[in-house]
Amino acid sequence: MLLKDKVCVIAGASSLRSIGYATAELFAEHGAKVVVVDRVMDANVLGDIKAAIESRLQRAVPVHGFHCDISQSQACAQVMSDVIALHGTIDCLVNSAGIVNSQPLLDIGENDLDVMFDVNLKGAFFLCQSVLKIFVERGVGNIVNVSSLAAQRGGAHTMRPQRAAS
Ligand SMILES: NC(=O)c1ccc[n+]([C@@H]2O[C@H](COP(=O)([O-])OP(=O)(O)OC[C@H]3O[C@@H](n4cnc5c(N)ncnc54)[C@H](O)[C@@H]3O)[C@@H](O)[C@H]2O)c1
């Protein structure tokens, strides 16, 4: 059990098909105290996540969940305080919350751009800043930020015009 009793906060895990959920399942398998954080989070969502992990591992696992819109700095600070109140510490943050705009670059409006930056850039920053305050005090901690090729090529991956066959 590589993560026995480690408190691991995983952002972006509400869907059972998400990378965040897969991370939560793997970390629980390795003994972590998993805390899932998402803008889509309530008792039903958390119940589904916990049931899916327990069904897969065939044992009870400690999984908690908090609602948080990571584009809001205060919400990120609050969620870390809530986890500290629950478990007393945080060992690891995985940020797998993100959105992809699959429109071609020329079609993306300023509002769409703002939303992408608010979640993918500022959200990652706010989560890191909030947890780093705790890690700096403790002198230890781990952060994993999940990114995408879409950050380099655009969500639609259609930046290169097709060449006509000659
Ligand atoms: N799925 C892939 O093939 C793939 C490949 C490369 C990179 N990625 C990247 O990995 C990350 C996760 O991808 P995924 O496929 O699991 O996506 P997903 O859409 O299944 O999960 C993303 C999660 O982030 C949450 N989220 C979105 N905005 C949020 C906000 N403001 N606050 C809190 N939570 C928010 C969503 O509710 C969702 O649960 C993304 O950054 C994505 O770009 C995915």
Side-chain angles (χ1 to χ4, degrees):
M1 290 229 177
L2 290 173
L3 296 171
K4 184 152 177 49
D5 292 333
K6 297 293 182 193
V7 178
C8 300
V9 177
I10 302 167
S14 68
S15 158
L16 300 184
R17 296 167 62 89
S18 65
I19 294 171
Y21 169 77
T23 305
E25 192 182 278
L26 182 67
F27 281 21
E29 185 176 356
H30 283 277
K33 293 176 180 170
V34 168
V35 181
V36 285
V37 166
D38 204 291
R39 72 175 172 187
V40 180
M41 184 60 61
D42 59 20
N44 289 331
V45 172
L46 178 61
D48 288 348
I49 292 170
K50 192 169 159 57
I53 295 176
E54 291 182 344
S55 163
R56 160 88 169 70
L57 302 185
Q58 290 296 297
R59 60 178 165 82
V61 289
V63 182
H64 291 85
F66 290 103
H67 177 271
C68 175
D69 178 351
I70 67 165
S71 68
Q72 306 298 312
S73 61
Q74 187 51 43
C76 293
Q78 184 62 51
V79 89
M80 298 308 167
S81 297
D82 291 342
V83 178
I84 292 290
L86 178 71
H87 286 307
T89 191
I90 300 175
D91 296 289
C92 173
L93 163 71
V94 177
N95 175 25
S96 190
I99 54 170
V100 175
N101 188 322
S102 56
Q103 292 171 287
L105 186 147
L106 291 177
D107 295 342
I108 294 174
E110 188 172 346
N111 286 344
D112 300 326
L113 187 67
D114 284 344
V115 173
M116 278 192 283
F117 274 69
D118 283 351
V119 177
N120 295 344
L121 185 64
K122 289 172 72 176
F125 180 88
F126 293 146
L127 279 176
C128 288
Q129 193 175 50
S130 303
V131 83
L132 266 173
K133 288 176 186 162
I134 295 155
F135 289 172
V136 166
E137 252 178 46
R138 296 181 58 213
V140 65
N142 297 278
I143 297 177
V144 178
N145 280 309
V146 178
S147 185
S148 171
L149 270 182
Q152 295 168 320
R153 297 185 183 175
H157 293 201
T158 55
M159 297 299 294
R160 283 187 198 160
Q162 300 285 320
R163 286 193 186 170
S166 54

